[in-house]
Amino acid sequence: MVAPLALIFMTQWMLLITQLSFGWHCTDSEMPDSPIRNLVLNQWKMELSWMSSMNFTEEWCSVTAGDFTETIMAENMKCMFGNIAPPLHNGATFSVTVVNINGTYSRRCRYIPQGLNGSAIENFSCVIYNVSLMNCTWQEGINAPGDTQYFLYWQNPRDNEEMECELYIKDKNGRNTGCRFQNVRIETEIAYFLVNGSSKDFLIQFYDEYIELYKIEKLMPPSNITVNCDEIKNDCIIQWQRPQISHSNKDRCFKYEININYKDNPEGKNTYTSVQEGGNSHTFKRSNTRKKYLLKMRTAGSACFMSPAWGEWSAPVEFGNEEIISSSVWILLVVAVVTLLVAIITILFCKRTSCWKTAFPQIPEPKNAFCGLPDTNSVLMESKIHSITSENEEIILVADVVK
């Protein structure tokens, strides 16, 4: 198993060297007597070297790619561009200039990528997550032949040994379209990525890119989030632990976004939002003590070598008190409302259909005893009253005599 993998690696390496050799064009037309000989570029180390039989008082090199130009001083007929060099897949120009007592000499070489136009990969991107895992993905070139296969190599940083992908991601046709890495270590130096291609009948163009790994890290949310509320002051203390990363253990390197909503309206307008630089606690003053809240947090880099992009939200954390009405109270309230509605409907119905008089008939008034008697002569009535009064007086006198 090891032998085939080594053979594949060597084949790809030789193919890359061949591409570089075919694309390396040097010219001495400006100065045919230049003492600079055998100007060579080591693509992996971005080291430009040459040979000369003369001694020089000054030596420097430069690289130009599009609008990018960088010049550095040489040492012992070598220039180490390292991570300050541009990607080479679009071509670049390298030059060396030396000075001695006899004059100034220079040599210039142009690197022109070889291969079928449009065969290099497109849309290359990488992301680091869960502290030390990294995924890289790409799409095949628009003009890549059907049998094209791609291979990913990277260095972290440039002076380290190059490594091939540990586990390729394949499409339905078996073509490599991504890679998964484990135990990735984030360094402050820029990492170099190169995707080479191979085909039976065509030379495939390569793609390369420099990436600052900390910028592509997807930060985890804070862990161990807790909320403790003071029922007297109505203040809630939110505490958490910073997310774990591989290259920093300082709280000041992080900033946190805190988002709080009512539990009964989690997708509504935010009740409270705050961004805090560093630290591991925050005080939230409740505006409603009879509500439950949902809290979530996320993290971004604030300083240090960390990604400034916000990471994912944490799982919601519930806190606060909610006024709860018991089921028996709800039943009583429902019964009372239903009874009231039935009574109102019954009254309105009876008033409308006159059934109220049938259900509750009116009690008749008592008749007047004198009602219906014939008219009496007033003179006769007076004489009768006088006679009755005289008789009563006589009875009283007799009663007195007897006493």
Side-chain angles (χ1 to χ4, degrees), residues 95 113 132 154 156 178:
S95 66
S132 61
W154 78 302
N156 179 28

Side-chain angles (χ1 to χ4, degrees), residues 29 72 76 81 89 120 168 182 198 201 205 208 231 249 258 290 310 341 361 373 393:
S29 59
I72 63 173
N76 297 326
F81 289 100
H89 64 270
Y168 283 108
Q182 296 179 341
S198 65
D201 299 320
Q205 292 180 329
D208 63 338
E231 300 302 331
N249 58 358
I258 301 170
R290 296 184 177 182
W310 289 108
L341 288 175
L373 292 177
E393 290 178 351

Side-chain angles (χ1 to χ4, degrees), residues 18-289:
T18 302
Q19 283 182 294
L20 182 59
S21 300
F22 287 162
W24 191 242
H25 300 278
C26 298
T27 175
D28 292 327
S29 59
E30 297 179 2
M31 193 168 294
D33 59 342
S34 172
I36 304 170
R37 295 286 183 265
N38 298 329
L39 187 60
V40 176
L41 174 67
N42 184 322
Q43 183 179 357
W44 279 111
K45 294 183 177 181
M46 284 307 296
E47 177 186 272
L48 192 63
S49 62
W50 63 93
M51 298 180 65
S52 179
S53 59
M54 293 185 178
N55 294 324
F56 304 102
T57 56
E58 291 184 52
E59 302 173 324
W60 66 86
C61 308
S62 66
V63 57
T64 301
D67 297 332
F68 176 88
T69 298
E70 184 69 33
T71 300
I72 63 173
M73 299 305 296
E75 184 177 352
N76 297 326
M77 292 182 289
K78 289 182 180 180
C79 286
M80 297 290 297
F81 289 100
N83 297 329
I84 63 174
L88 295 179
H89 64 270
N90 289 323
T93 299
F94 295 86
S95 66
V96 175
T97 303
V98 295
V99 179
N100 63 11
I101 58 174
N102 297 322
T104 301
Y105 308 90
S106 65
R107 184 90 182 269
R108 179 175 299 165
C109 294
R110 170 76 177 165
Y111 177 68
I112 303 173
Q114 302 296 293
L116 180 66
N117 287 335
S119 60
I121 65 163
E122 301 175 349
N123 300 324
F124 180 80
S125 65
C126 296
V127 60
I128 296 176
Y129 60 99
N130 287 351
V131 183
S132 61
L133 302 180
M134 181 170 68
N135 273 13
C136 295
T137 58
W138 59 82
Q139 294 177 345
E140 67 273 13
I142 188 172
N143 293 328
D147 68 337
T148 302
Q149 186 60 283
Y150 296 106
F151 303 91
L152 170 64
Y153 304 88
W154 78 302
Q155 287 178 313
N156 179 28
R158 261 295 202 172
D159 56 356
N160 287 352
E161 184 179 356
E162 62 276 1
M163 297 176 292
E164 191 183 358
C165 172
E166 300 173 1
L167 178 63
Y168 283 108
I169 303 170
K170 300 179 180 293
D171 63 12
K172 61 182 180 180
N173 298 319
R175 178 179 291 175
N176 298 335
T177 58
C179 176
R180 293 189 178 98
F181 293 94
Q182 296 179 341
N183 302 318
V184 174
R185 186 181 73 255
I186 296 179
E187 304 283 358
T188 56
E189 294 87 354
I190 300 176
Y192 178 67
F193 292 80
L194 182 143
V195 181
N196 197 18
S198 65
S199 173
K200 183 176 65 175
D201 299 320
F202 297 91
L203 185 63
I204 305 301
Q205 292 180 329
F206 71 87
Y207 175 89
D208 63 338
E209 185 174 341
Y210 292 91
I211 297 178
E212 294 179 279
L213 295 185
Y214 74 88
K215 290 185 177 180
I216 63 171
E217 183 177 20
K218 193 173 186 179
L219 295 176
M220 301 289 288
S223 60
N224 297 330
I225 302 174
T226 60
V227 184
N228 295 305
C229 296
D230 189 324
E231 300 302 331
I232 298 177
K233 296 181 179 179
N234 295 331
D235 289 342
C236 295
I237 306 300
I238 304 169
Q239 293 181 309
W240 63 87
Q241 292 181 355
R242 61 175 177 80
Q244 182 183 2
I245 59 175
S246 63
H247 58 287
S248 178
N249 58 358
K250 300 175 181 178
D251 289 334
R252 64 178 178 84
C253 294
F254 300 90
K255 63 180 178 181
Y256 306 95
E257 183 174 3
I258 301 170
N259 181 280
I260 301 176
N261 276 344
Y262 288 127
K263 181 184 176 182
D264 56 5
N265 189 22
E267 302 300 329
K269 184 178 179 181
N270 291 341
T271 303
Y272 181 83
T273 300
S274 178
V275 175
Q276 175 170 313
E277 298 280 345
N280 55 13
S281 66
H282 183 82
T283 301
F284 166 64
K285 190 172 183 63
R286 289 180 294 175
S287 59
N288 192 330
T289 59

Side-chain angles (χ1 to χ4, degrees), residues 325-334:
I325 301 178
S326 64
S327 58
S328 59
V329 175
W330 276 114
I331 294 173
L332 292 175
L333 288 174
V334 171

